[in-house]
Amino acid sequence: MTDTEISAALREVPTTTLADLLGRERVMDIGIRPLWQPVPRVAGPAFTVSCPPGDNLMLHAAVHRAAPGSVIVVESGDLDHALAGGNVCAVAQRRGVAAFVADGLIRDLGEVRDLAFPVFARGIIPIPGAKKAVRPLNGPVRCGGVRVGSGDVVVADEEGVVVVPASRAAEILRAALARLAKEAEQTLDDWEKAHRARIDDILAEGGFQD
């Protein structure tokens, strides 16, 4: 499969399944959340951006450079200024960007919601940042506590944001599809029986008595 095909296939995989396979270190913290609901699941290769607090220049530059299907991932940490607003999101959407995932804030939430443009971020604030700080694009960044490299596959939905390392994307996709297929064959009665047995075994090993 091509990288594009892998990203498209991962869009069909819940973040819960990916989190089970990848572990906590690949899951962004709970502050990085969808800013409107119901948000669709998105998946795409990361186009990474670093913005210092108080400045959003490189995100605005990235909007015109990210390939269609990309998820723009922003390292910032700024809780005093917006990284982007409605027009920036509209242009990103028009250029085929799949979503923003930002360790920071945006503004014009009503406009963004009306566009149905997926944004996962820490919140909203009405005041924008400056446009002065020039930094390289597509270097490694940290967003929501997770290291993200250019081309890593970012999968985000209402449950959270998971980063699949590019080097493991095909492997993780195969494992996820196998797990989902197995789950689809299992009834709730089957799951309950297996779950009860597993929990009872753990309790017994710990010396629990009814």
Side-chain angles (χ1 to χ4, degrees):
M1 298 178 72
T2 66
D3 291 345
T4 300
E5 290 170 335
I6 291 171
S7 291
L10 283 169
R11 193 179 306 121
E12 304 305 315
V13 180
T15 55
T16 48
T17 300
L18 296 172
D20 288 345
L21 293 169
L22 287 164
R24 179 66 185 87
E25 68 177 9
R26 306 306 299 171
V27 180
M28 292 191 187
D29 71 54
I30 62 171
I32 311 298
R33 61 191 189 279
L35 295 188
W36 53 267
Q37 295 278 13
V39 70
R41 184 178 302 121
V42 298
F47 188 99
T48 54
V49 180
S50 175
C51 292
D55 198 284
N56 60 30
L57 175 64
M58 297 317 299
L59 171 56
H60 290 236
V63 165
H64 301 285
R65 290 162 176 79
S70 299
V71 175
I72 293 181
V73 179
V74 188
E75 176 181 328
S76 171
D78 184 10
L79 298 180
D80 293 312
H81 305 87
L83 288 162
N87 285 343
V88 171
C89 291
V91 171
Q93 184 181 57
R94 186 164 65 181
R95 292 184 53 80
V97 172
F100 285 169
V101 174
D103 200 329
L105 312 174
I106 71 158
R107 68 178 191 166
D108 302 327
L109 179 59
E111 295 178 28
V112 176
R113 182 173 53 236
D114 289 345
L115 289 168
F117 180 69
V119 176
F120 299 79
R122 293 202 180 273
I124 53 175
I125 197 168
I127 187 167
K131 293 173 181 61
K132 297 178 180 179
V134 176
R135 290 184 170 184
L137 291 169
N138 271 326
V141 299
R142 289 194 71 81
C143 184
V146 177
R147 186 186 185 280
V148 186
S150 174
D152 288 348
V153 183
V154 179
V155 185
D157 60 19
E158 64 184 4
E159 300 280 352
V161 184
V162 180
V163 181
V164 182
S167 62
R168 298 187 62 196
E171 165 207 340
I172 294 299
L173 174 60
R174 288 192 297 271
L177 294 178
R179 177 175 290 218
L180 290 172
K182 182 179 179 180
E183 291 174 353
E185 295 174 352
Q186 188 180 51
T187 68
L188 181 58
D189 288 342
D190 293 336
W191 186 90
E192 181 182 9
K193 182 179 179 180
H195 178 259
R196 176 65 185 268
R198 175 171 174 263
I199 296 303
D200 285 350
D201 285 347
I202 295 170
L203 291 173
E205 288 175 7
F208 177 82
Q209 297 182 354
D210 286 319

Coordinates of all heavy atoms in Angstrom, one line a residue, residues 178-188 190-191:
A178 N -6.9 -6.4 11.9 CA -7.1 -7.7 12.5 C -7.9 -7.7 13.8 O -8.8 -8.5 14.0 CB -5.8 -8.4 12.7
R179 N -7.6 -6.7 14.6 CA -8.3 -6.6 15.9 C -9.7 -6.2 15.7 O -10.6 -6.8 16.4 CB -7.6 -5.5 16.8 CG -8.3 -5.3 18.1 CD -7.5 -4.3 19.0 NE -6.3 -4.9 19.5 CZ -5.8 -4.7 20.7 NH1 -6.5 -4.0 21.6 NH2 -4.7 -5.3 21.1
L180 N -10.0 -5.3 14.8 CA -11.4 -4.9 14.5 C -12.2 -6.0 13.9 O -13.4 -6.2 14.3 CB -11.4 -3.7 13.6 CG -10.9 -2.4 14.2 CD1 -10.7 -1.3 13.1 CD2 -11.8 -1.9 15.3
A181 N -11.6 -6.8 13.1 CA -12.3 -8.0 12.5 C -12.6 -9.0 13.6 O -13.7 -9.6 13.6 CB -11.4 -8.6 11.4
K182 N -11.7 -9.2 14.5 CA -12.0 -10.2 15.6 C -13.1 -9.7 16.5 O -14.0 -10.4 16.9 CB -10.7 -10.4 16.4 CG -10.8 -11.4 17.6 CD -9.5 -11.5 18.3 CE -9.7 -12.5 19.5 NZ -8.4 -12.7 20.2
E183 N -13.1 -8.4 16.8 CA -14.1 -7.8 17.6 C -15.5 -7.8 16.9 O -16.5 -8.0 17.6 CB -13.8 -6.3 17.9 CG -12.6 -6.2 18.9 CD -12.1 -4.7 19.1 OE1 -12.7 -3.8 18.4 OE2 -11.2 -4.5 19.9
A184 N -15.5 -7.7 15.6 CA -16.7 -7.7 14.9 C -17.4 -9.1 15.0 O -18.6 -9.2 14.9 CB -16.5 -7.3 13.4
E185 N -16.6 -10.1 15.1 CA -17.1 -11.5 15.2 C -17.6 -11.9 16.6 O -18.3 -12.9 16.8 CB -16.1 -12.5 14.8 CG -15.6 -12.4 13.3 CD -14.5 -13.3 13.0 OE1 -13.9 -13.9 13.9 OE2 -14.1 -13.3 11.8
Q186 N -17.3 -11.1 17.6 CA -17.6 -11.4 19.0 C -18.9 -10.7 19.4 O -19.1 -9.5 19.3 CB -16.4 -10.9 19.9 CG -16.5 -11.3 21.3 CD -15.3 -10.8 22.1 OE1 -15.0 -9.6 22.0 NE2 -14.6 -11.7 22.8
T187 N -19.8 -11.5 20.0 CA -21.0 -11.0 20.5 C -20.8 -10.4 21.9 O -19.7 -10.7 22.5 CB -22.1 -12.1 20.7 OG1 -21.7 -13.0 21.7 CG2 -22.3 -12.8 19.3
L188 N -21.7 -9.6 22.4 CA -21.6 -9.0 23.7 C -21.5 -10.1 24.8 O -20.8 -10.1 25.8 CB -22.7 -8.1 24.0 CG -22.7 -7.4 25.4 CD1 -21.4 -6.6 25.6 CD2 -23.9 -6.5 25.6
D190 N -20.3 -13.1 24.4 CA -19.0 -13.7 24.3 C -18.0 -12.8 25.1 O -17.1 -13.3 25.8 CB -18.5 -13.8 22.9 CG -19.3 -14.9 22.1 OD1 -19.8 -15.8 22.7 OD2 -19.3 -14.8 20.8
W191 N -18.1 -11.5 24.8 CA -17.2 -10.5 25.4 C -17.4 -10.5 26.9 O -16.4 -10.5 27.7 CB -17.4 -9.1 24.9 CG -16.4 -8.1 25.4 CD1 -15.3 -7.8 24.8 CD2 -16.5 -7.3 26.6 NE1 -14.6 -6.8 25.6 CE2 -15.4 -6.5 26.7 CE3 -17.5 -7.2 27.6 CZ2 -15.1 -5.6 27.7 CZ3 -17.3 -6.4 28.7 CH2 -16.1 -5.6 28.7

